[in-house]
Amino acid sequence: MEHSIDAAPGIRLWAEDHGAPDAPPLLLIMGAQASGLGWPDELVGLLAAHHRVIRYDHRDTGRSTWAYDDQPYPLTTLADDALAVLDGLGVARAHVVGMSLGGMLTQLLIADHPDRLLSATLIGTAALSDTPYRHPDGTRTPPEDLPGIDPRILDLWSQPWTDEGQEAELNRRVTHWRLLSGDQLPFDADYFHSLDRKVVAHTGHHRPGDAHGRADHSGMLRTEQLARTTVPTLVISAPAEPVFPLPHAHHLAQTIHGAHVVEIPGMGHALPPEIHKPLATAILDHTAPR
């Protein structure tokens, strides 16, 4: 079922839910400039067998309000929007799964609103902490010195966008997905082309957004709050991750109190069909009643 939620004056968010209305709610938070349809239907279906699964469009994506130029906001506002979605759907507490920027927003919720979370799952993201990573041999590395984004992805991100039509934009997005997927699983270009064709149809245009990249990124650190949280937290480790490569996942688990790590073989910074079942299994194991 689709929903329209007023998150702030002049800001309306698109959302939809799947699964039994009385099942434990599970909120999916996508990454920067990504529509909620970035969570593939197949994965949503696996999770909806046990949960009321909620996915939504961030502001300045999909069918939600695009208004950054008129109403600029700090990146932390997107965490408030996640709460607005829960409030708008009458959800007091939810399991929350966040990917990439969505994983950072989930950490903000862990730190600032733990009473709203039943559990948290973090995928393809970095710790909102300045605590050094502790290597197995006891040495330490500051977070800023951990491995960075694949230079090929940075090069693609740096290229100015020009409107050469919808098909050219879809091809550009497939190239992006190829790099994000890493190099351990076969890449299915047709699958990602179909996924983004659906996103474009849902959005109503093929222009990529850039609001989240321009938003104020300050005020995100939550070192102390994450170190003492009691929110049960799962960190997904992706061995082919090109945006937040290993050991970022293990650094997350070190900085978030009680967190544990599950590796999804072959996974990168994307959600291809090959990882849907193992990822859903890991999430459902984590959210299962204890």
Side-chain angles (χ1 to χ4, degrees), residues 14 29 62 108 110 121 130 140 143 160 172 180 203 228 242 273 278-279:
W14 174 90
I29 307 180
L108 293 178
I110 293 171
T121 299
D130 56 10
R140 294 172 178 255
R172 186 193 69 83
L180 291 176
T203 303
R228 63 172 184 263
L279 179 58

Side-chain angles (χ1 to χ4, degrees), residues 119-288:
S119 75
T121 299
L122 307 175
I123 305 169
T125 193
L128 300 184
S129 170
D130 56 10
T131 301
Y133 170 64
R134 301 185 303 279
H135 295 266
D137 64 4
T139 58
R140 294 172 178 255
T141 298
E144 61 270 20
D145 292 336
L146 292 176
I149 301 170
D150 186 320
R152 296 173 297 172
I153 295 174
L154 290 175
D155 180 64
L156 185 62
W157 288 352
S158 71
Q159 295 175 16
W161 185 77
T162 56
D163 189 350
E164 299 178 1
Q166 180 172 305
E167 288 305 313
E169 171 58 13
L170 288 172
N171 290 336
R172 186 193 69 83
R173 295 187 190 192
V174 169
T175 298
H176 189 211
W177 283 122
R178 187 183 298 275
L179 294 174
L180 291 176
S181 295
D183 56 5
Q184 295 189 18
L185 293 175
F187 180 74
D188 186 343
D190 290 339
Y191 173 81
F192 284 100
H193 192 278
S194 176
L195 176 69
D196 261 310
R197 184 177 293 279
K198 183 177 179 181
V199 169
V200 166
H202 167 78
T203 303
H205 61 79
H206 62 272
R207 299 187 306 276
D210 63 357
H212 300 165
R214 291 189 285 146
D216 181 359
H217 287 55
S218 64
M220 299 280 283
L221 281 181
R222 294 293 188 277
T223 302
E224 295 180 3
Q225 298 94 321
L226 294 174
R228 63 172 184 263
T229 187
T230 59
V231 174
T233 301
L234 167 66
V235 177
I236 298 298
S237 175
E241 170 66 58
V243 178
F244 297 107
L246 294 174
H248 278 280
H250 296 280
H251 180 233
L252 267 168
Q254 289 178 1
T255 58
I256 300 175
H257 179 258
H260 69 286
V261 177
V262 171
E263 180 177 303
I264 305 299
M267 185 175 177
H269 198 80
L271 300 173
E274 293 88 345
I275 64 94
H276 293 171
K277 287 184 178 179
L279 179 58
T281 297
I283 294 170
L284 293 174
D285 285 348
H286 180 57
T287 61

Side-chain angles (χ1 to χ4, degrees), residues 1 22 34 39 58-59 82-83 88 114 117-118 158 188 256 270 285:
M1 179 180 295
D22 59 350
W39 296 103
H58 296 293
R59 61 176 74 189
L83 293 179
L117 275 66
L118 295 169
S158 71
D188 186 343
I256 300 175
D285 285 348

